[in-house]
C-alpha cells in the first residue's frame, strides 16, 4: 500500500494533473486583470461604487468607450504609439539582424565577451538610463519628436532581439549561404534571401517583443515628450484622471482599446512566436 501511495504521489507531482494545475494558475493570473478591466469598462459609475462589489456588470454599457474617444484624443494617442512602435521595431530588426549575423557567422575574436556584454546591458534598469538619455536627446535637439522615443527604444530592444536571432542563425547550415554566394549572392544577399527567411520564427518573435516593449513604454514617453500632439497611448491614458476624481470605467475602456491591437497581433502570429520561443530555447 505504501508503495502504491508513493507512486501515486510521485505521478501527481510529475504528471499531467500538476502541469494542468500550474497552467491553470498561470492562465488565471494572466487573464484575471484583463477581465477585471473589461468588466469595469462596461459598468457605470454608480455600479462601480456599489457595495458589495459586483464582479459582472449588471447593466452593461458602451458609454465609457464613447467617452474614451471624446474626452481625450484617443485615436491620436493610438496613432502615435503605433508609428513609434512600428518604426522602432523595423529599425531594431534590421540592426539586430546584422549584429546577430556577425556574431553567429564571423570569427570575431571577442565573441563571448560581446555576448556577455549584451546580456549585461539588457539588465540595466530603465530608470538609471533616464537622465543620460534625456541629456543626449536634448543635446541633439530631439525632444518632443518621435525620434526621441524611437532611438532609445531601438537601443533598449537590441540586446534581447540580437540574442534571439543569434540562436536561430547558428542553427542555419552554412552550406546554404555558401551555395547562394556561389550562385552570385553577396554575403548580405545570402543573409536576407536565405538566412532570414529560414529564421522567420525568430524574426517574428524578436519583432513582437520589440513592438510590445515600445507600445507599452511609459517612462521615456512621459519624460521626452511634452507636446500634446505627440503623446503616446500610455501617457495619454493618464490624462483621463481629474484633479479630484478618477473615472475608472472610462480609463478601463481606454486600456481595453490599447490592449486590443497587441492582442490581435499576438493572436495572428501566435504559432510563429511560440515556435520562435521554443526553438530558440532548444538551440540556446
Amino acid at each position: 500500500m505504501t508503495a502504491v501511495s508513493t507512486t501515486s504521489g510521485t505521478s501527481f507531482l510529475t504528471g499531467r494533473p500538476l502541469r494542468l494545475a500550474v497552467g491553470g494558475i498561470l492562465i488565471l493570473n494572466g487573464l484575471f486583470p484583463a477581465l477585471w478591466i473589461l468588466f469595469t469598462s462596461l459598468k457605470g459609475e454608480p455600479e462601480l461604487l456599489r457595495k458589495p462589489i459586483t464582479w459582472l456588470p449588471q447593466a452593461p454599457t458602451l458609454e465609457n468607450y464613447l467617452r474614451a474617444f471624446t474626452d481625450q484624443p484617443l485615436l491620436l494617442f493610438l496613432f502615435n504609439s503605433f508609428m513609434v512602435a512600428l518604426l522602432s521595431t523595423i529599425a531594431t530588426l534590421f540592426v539586430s539582424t546584422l549584429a546577430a549575423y556577425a556574431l553567429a557567422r564571423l570569427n570575431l575574436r571577442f565573441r563571448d565577451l560581446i555576448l556577455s556584454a549584451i546580456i549585461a546591458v539588457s539588465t540595466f534598469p530603465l530608470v538609471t538610463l533616464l537622465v543620460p538619455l534625456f541629456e543626449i536627446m536634448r543635446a541633439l535637439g530631439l525632444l518632443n519628436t518621435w525620434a526621441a522615443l524611437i532611438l532609445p527604444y531601438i537601443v533598449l530592444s537590441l540586446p534581447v532581439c540580437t540574442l534571439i536571432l543569434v540562436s536561430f542563425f547558428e542553427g542555419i547550415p552554412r552550406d546554404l549561404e555558401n551555395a547562394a554566394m556561389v550562385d552570385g549572392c553577396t554575403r548580405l544577399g545570402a543573409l536576407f534571401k536565405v538566412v532570414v527567411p529560414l529564421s522567420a520564427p525568430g524574426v517574428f518573435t524578436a519583432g513582437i517583443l520589440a513592438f510590445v516593449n515600445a507600445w507599452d513604454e511609459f517612462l521615456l514617453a512621459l519624460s521626452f515628450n511634452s507636446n500634446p500632439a505627440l503623446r503616446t497611448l500610455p501617457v495619454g491614458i493618464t490624462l483621463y484622471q481629474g484633479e479630484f476624481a478618477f473615472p475608472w470605467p472610462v480609463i478601463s475602456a481606454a486600456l481595453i482599446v490599447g490592449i486590443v491591437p497587441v492582442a490581435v497581433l499576438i493572436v495572428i502570429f501566435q504559432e510563429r512566436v511560440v515556435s520562435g520561443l521554443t526553438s530558440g530555447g532548444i538551440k540556446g
Side-chain angles (χ1 to χ4, degrees), residues 149 153 217-226 231-232 234-235:
L149 301 180
Y153 292 167
E217 201 283 322
F218 174 78
L219 183 60
L220 298 184
L222 176 65
S223 304
F224 294 176
N225 206 335
S226 59
R231 288 193 176 105
T232 57
V235 177

Side-chain angles (χ1 to χ4, degrees), residues 1 8-9 13 21 24 71 80 105 116 130 166 235-236 264-265 267 278:
M1 293 295 292
S8 177
L13 292 176
D71 290 2
N80 290 335
R105 287 291 189 261
S116 299
L130 178 60
V166 166
V235 177
V264 170
L265 190 66
V267 168
T278 55

Side-chain angles (χ1 to χ4, degrees), residues 88-220:
S88 63
T89 299
I90 293 173
T92 299
L93 287 179
F94 180 75
V95 177
S96 61
T97 296
L98 298 178
Y101 184 76
L103 291 169
R105 287 291 189 261
L106 304 183
N107 296 321
L108 300 178
R109 184 177 180 182
F110 301 105
R111 178 181 181 276
D112 292 340
L113 180 61
I114 294 173
L115 286 173
S116 299
I118 290 175
I119 295 174
V121 168
S122 66
T123 63
F124 287 179
L126 180 57
V127 68
T128 63
L129 305 174
L130 178 60
V131 174
L133 286 174
F134 183 88
E135 291 298 329
I136 291 172
M137 293 303 152
R138 185 172 64 176
L140 295 175
L142 295 178
L143 294 180
N144 293 319
T145 66
W146 281 352
L149 301 180
I150 292 173
L151 293 177
Y153 292 167
I154 294 172
V155 175
L156 294 173
S157 297
L158 269 178
V160 173
C161 293
T162 300
L163 290 174
I164 291 174
L165 293 178
V166 166
S167 175
F168 275 86
F169 291 172
E170 288 179 339
I172 305 298
R174 293 175 182 263
D175 292 342
L176 296 177
E177 297 167 64
N178 295 334
M181 287 188 282
V182 168
D183 289 340
C185 275
T186 62
R187 183 173 286 275
L188 281 178
L191 167 62
F192 288 105
K193 293 181 180 180
V194 177
V195 178
V196 170
L198 291 175
S199 303
V203 175
F204 275 99
T205 301
I208 292 295
L209 291 176
F211 186 91
V212 172
N213 287 340
W215 182 269
D216 292 340
E217 201 283 322
F218 174 78
L219 183 60
L220 298 184

